[in-house]
Amino acid sequence: FVAAGHTPLTFQVKPGENSKCRMYKQQIEDHMLEHRCQRDTCMVALGGGVVGDLTGYVAATYMRGVPVVQVPTSMMAMLDSSVGGKTAINVPSGKNLVGAFHQPRRVVIDL
């Protein structure tokens, strides 16, 4: 990114399914708003299925939708969660119950 003249804005979440929640979604959105991210912001999900789902859902809802690129790092994310545009977070009532379909602009997989 830097070599191409872009300064990436980063946000890390704790590993594990517990991170796929409303609290992290809100924290990411607040972080993006504080840094004045606009509709031309492209989000990059670098991680496993949890990161891909969470980032994809934020991208689907932030300012009514911004582009997202999926860069899955686990085999399951490569085969399942990074493709098809299904994104979701977990809520107390169950897993993946709040979400949206939001197709990634690109999926980058390096085996």
Side-chain angles (χ1 to χ4, degrees):
F1 292 108
V2 176
H6 302 289
T7 304
L9 176 63
T10 62
F11 189 96
Q12 291 183 318
V13 297
K14 293 181 181 178
E17 196 70 24
N18 289 338
S19 294
K20 207 167 79 168
C21 63
R22 288 178 174 147
M23 180 192 74
Y24 271 112
K25 180 180 184 292
Q26 179 181 345
Q27 288 179 4
I28 294 167
E29 290 165 338
D30 289 346
H31 186 69
M32 292 174 70
L33 289 167
E34 288 168 12
H35 288 88
R36 295 188 163 99
C37 294
Q38 299 295 316
R39 295 217 59 234
D40 61 351
T41 297
C42 180
M43 298 184 72
V44 178
L46 176 61
V50 168
V51 170
D53 269 2
L54 179 60
T55 306
Y57 185 49
V58 172
T61 58
Y62 186 79
M63 295 193 170
R64 299 184 181 156
V66 297
V68 64
V69 173
Q70 295 278 353
V71 186
T73 58
S74 70
M75 188 59 73
M76 183 58 79
M78 289 177 195
L79 298 172
D80 180 44
S81 64
S82 66
V83 294
K86 57 191 183 314
T87 67
I89 57 171
N90 302 331
V91 294
S93 298
K95 183 176 170 164
N96 296 328
L97 293 181
V98 176
F101 286 98
H102 188 66
Q103 295 295 334
R105 290 282 173 97
R106 299 268 187 279
V107 178
V108 180
I109 297 173
D110 185 14
L111 297 175

